[in-house]
């Protein structure tokens, strides 16, 4: 081997050793030295760390920079909902969802698609008239088939049915349930599976983090669906938590019982809101919740990842929907990391 090449190789080995030892050796080494992102930390556990995002925010470049760097899974907060994707009957508009899928691709991120069947954010044409069961079934099948086909091969998972149960574990009396009966859930899963056999299919809901009547309803439903061979892959625990209601301390046990059914689980819409003003004490308490919920997911093998419902208080949905509450996310309105961010790193870093 000519001497110059030996020298170059040796120089490379020395540089690599310096990098391994944490010694900065110039601009090229900085990429290796910087602190790992939440996604990188989660990846070491075979998990993802995600964030929701929404189209109007994508013009904020300070925001998109962190979104593209820190996360490896993206959920469109609104862009794939029915009102956005089928604003008139049979007229489909994929522009909002496509924009987010494209951005995620550019950042090498996967997409948790959200959501196909829900009672909220439906277009007027759907809610402003009566439907026979046969008509509504056809409308639902067409919507699911068109949307899942459009995103086939482009998304990791679908929240197929969102928020199907009441707090007491009875079925929510939605347009779907009232017109079609409880079988709409199995139908929706089957239609989604036909349209994209590789997407992971989820049921998703809030207030199911703890063991209780609502999560019991999902447990029984999941058991039945699995027994019937219905294509269900996972349960999404939204985890819209609030300091004033207490931490759901049975979360880990709850995730585990679903894993035993052979299902994936995920924390899909995490935020931890508080009554404003935020104080240091509340932010510290919030941080322990973020740490603990992340640890709970890491403790259960089938818990595949955690997604925050956007990452910054600048774009949180909380203040608009829960007056007087907010400060729910790991970054503040100035895009500065809060104690919750360090707590996430701590939980993922172990
Ligand atoms: C929220 C969005 O973040 C808001 O922008 C929108 O106005 C209302 O919906 N559970 C869900 C999400 O499954 O789709 C909701 O998203 C938050 C609660």
């Amino acid at each position: 081997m000519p001497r110059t090449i030996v020298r170059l190789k040796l120089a490379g080995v020395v540089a690599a050793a310096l990098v391994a030892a944490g010694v900065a050796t110039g601009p090229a080494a900085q990429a290796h030295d910087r602190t790992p992102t939440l996604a990188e930390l989660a990846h070491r556990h075979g998990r993802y760390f995600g964030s929701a995002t929404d189209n109007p925010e994508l013009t904020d470049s300070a925001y998109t920079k962190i979104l593209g760097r820190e996360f490896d899974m993206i959920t469109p907060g609104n862009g794939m909902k029915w009102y956005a994707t089928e604003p008139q009957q049979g007229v489909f508009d994929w522009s909002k969802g496509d924009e987010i899928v494209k951005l995620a691709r550019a950042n090498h991120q996967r997409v948790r698609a959200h959501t196909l069947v829900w009672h909220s954010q439906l277009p007027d044409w759907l809610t402003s008239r009566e439907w026979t069961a046969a008509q509504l079934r056809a409308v639902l099948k067409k919507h699911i088939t068109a949307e899942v086909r459009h995103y086939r091969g482009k998304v990791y998972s679908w929240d197929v049915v969102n928020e199907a149960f009441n707090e007491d574990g009875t079925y929510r009396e939605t347009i779907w349930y009232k017109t079609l009966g409880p079988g709409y859930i199995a139908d929706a899963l089957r239609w989604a599976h036909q349209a994209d056999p590789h997407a992971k299919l989820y049921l998703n809901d809030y207030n199911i983090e703890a063991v209780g009547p609502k999560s019991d309803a999902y447990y029984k439903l999941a058991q039945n669906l699995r027994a019937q061979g219905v294509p269900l892959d996972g349960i999404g625990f939204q985890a819209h938590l609030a300091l004033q209601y207490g931490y759901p301390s049975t979360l880990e046990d709850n995730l585990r019982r679903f894993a035993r059914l052979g299902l994936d689980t995920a924390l899909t819409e995490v935020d931890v809101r508080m009554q404003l003003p935020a104080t240091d004490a509340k932010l510290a308490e919030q941080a322990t919740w973020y740490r603990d919920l992340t640890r709970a997911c890491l403790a259960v093998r089938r818990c595949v990842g955690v997604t925050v419902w956007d990452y910054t208080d600048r774009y949180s949905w909380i203040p608009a929907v829960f007056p007087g509450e907010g400060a729910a996310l790991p970054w503040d309105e100035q895009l500065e990391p809060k104690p919750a961010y360090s707590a996430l790193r701590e939980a993922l870093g172990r």
Side-chain angles (χ1 to χ4, degrees):
M1 206 185 285
R3 219 179 239 155
T4 42
I5 294 183
V6 174
R7 274 217 200 99
L8 283 173
K9 281 206 160 180
L10 274 176
V13 169
V14 170
L18 287 171
V19 169
V23 180
T25 56
Q30 275 163 18
H32 301 276
D33 285 351
R34 62 161 174 67
T35 35
T37 64
L38 294 179
E40 287 165 347
L41 291 172
H43 188 76
R44 296 177 188 171
H45 300 271
R47 309 307 208 281
Y48 62 79
F49 204 95
S51 176
T53 191
D54 204 2
N55 302 79
E57 306 152 22
L58 301 181
T59 54
D60 178 344
S61 60
Y63 166 83
T64 53
K65 196 173 163 202
I66 298 175
L67 184 74
R69 179 186 73 206
E70 205 74 32
F71 306 96
D72 58 352
M73 186 72 80
I74 295 295
T75 305
N78 288 300
M80 292 186 181
K81 290 173 179 174
W82 203 313
Y83 79 100
T85 53
E86 195 180 357
Q88 293 162 60
Q89 189 174 3
V91 179
F92 296 96
D93 179 355
W94 312 120
S95 56
K96 297 225 161 51
D98 285 356
E99 185 187 10
I100 289 171
V101 168
K102 196 175 152 203
L103 181 70
R105 267 207 180 173
N107 291 323
H108 310 288
Q109 297 160 320
R110 291 184 292 169
V111 174
R112 282 198 92 257
H114 174 86
T115 177
L116 297 168
V117 192
W118 195 22
H119 60 275
S120 191
Q121 294 182 286
L122 293 170
D124 286 344
W125 64 262
L126 213 167
T127 52
S128 62
R129 55 160 282 189
E130 299 286 315
W131 301 90
T132 66
Q135 287 171 331
L136 195 64
R137 213 174 121 80
V139 163
L140 184 60
K141 182 175 183 184
K142 183 171 176 179
H143 180 80
I144 291 175
T145 303
E147 182 154 8
V148 177
R149 246 191 218 151
H150 178 79
Y151 289 109
R152 176 167 51 195
K154 296 181 175 160
V155 302
Y156 164 73
S157 65
W158 269 106
D159 289 334
V160 176
V161 181
N162 200 30
E163 303 181 350
F165 286 107
N166 294 314
E167 297 304 299
D168 66 359
T170 57
Y171 281 100
R172 193 191 279 268
E173 301 264 327
T174 66
I175 179 174
W176 313 112
Y177 180 79
K178 283 194 289 192
T179 317
L180 304 174
Y184 82 90
I185 296 175
D187 285 339
L189 289 162
R190 289 194 182 101
W191 294 328
H193 183 68
Q194 275 167 21
D196 183 354
H198 297 298
K200 302 273 187 201
L201 304 184
Y202 277 71
L203 306 178
N204 191 53
D205 213 328
Y206 64 92
N207 278 354
I208 58 167
E209 294 73 35
V211 175
K214 197 172 184 182
S215 60
D216 287 351
Y218 276 97
Y219 187 77
K220 284 192 200 105
L221 174 63
Q223 242 174 350
N224 288 337
L225 292 172
R226 299 285 288 188
Q228 293 170 65
V230 176
L232 172 68
D233 298 294
I235 305 292
F237 297 69
Q238 292 183 6
H240 291 294
L241 306 180
L243 288 186
Q244 66 272 23
Y245 301 136
Y247 182 78
S249 55
T250 49
L251 173 60
E252 187 181 317
D253 290 338
N254 199 22
L255 293 171
R256 197 165 277 121
R257 71 172 167 159
F258 285 94
R260 285 206 199 93
L261 290 181
L263 290 168
D264 287 349
T265 55
L267 305 182
T268 55
E269 304 185 12
V270 176
D271 47 26
V272 180
R273 63 187 189 269
M274 60 186 67
Q275 281 153 348
L276 299 173
T279 61
D280 286 350
K282 286 184 213 170
L283 293 173
E285 172 76 359
Q286 177 186 56
T288 67
W289 288 34
Y290 272 100
R291 184 195 65 200
D292 291 349
L293 65 87
T294 302
R295 280 187 187 160
C297 182
L298 294 180
V300 179
R301 197 175 49 83
R302 297 290 300 257
C303 183
V304 296
V306 177
T307 296
V308 289
W309 203 242
D310 226 317
Y311 72 84
T312 160
D313 294 334
R314 183 179 292 187
Y315 297 121
S316 172
W317 71 304
I318 296 293
V321 176
F322 301 91
E325 298 179 47
L329 293 167
W331 277 258
D332 70 14
E333 289 183 32
Q334 278 69 51
L335 302 179
E336 291 298 329
K338 291 155 67 176
Y341 173 72
S342 316
L344 288 173
R345 302 188 60 84
E346 189 196 324
L348 293 167
R350 297 216 300 180

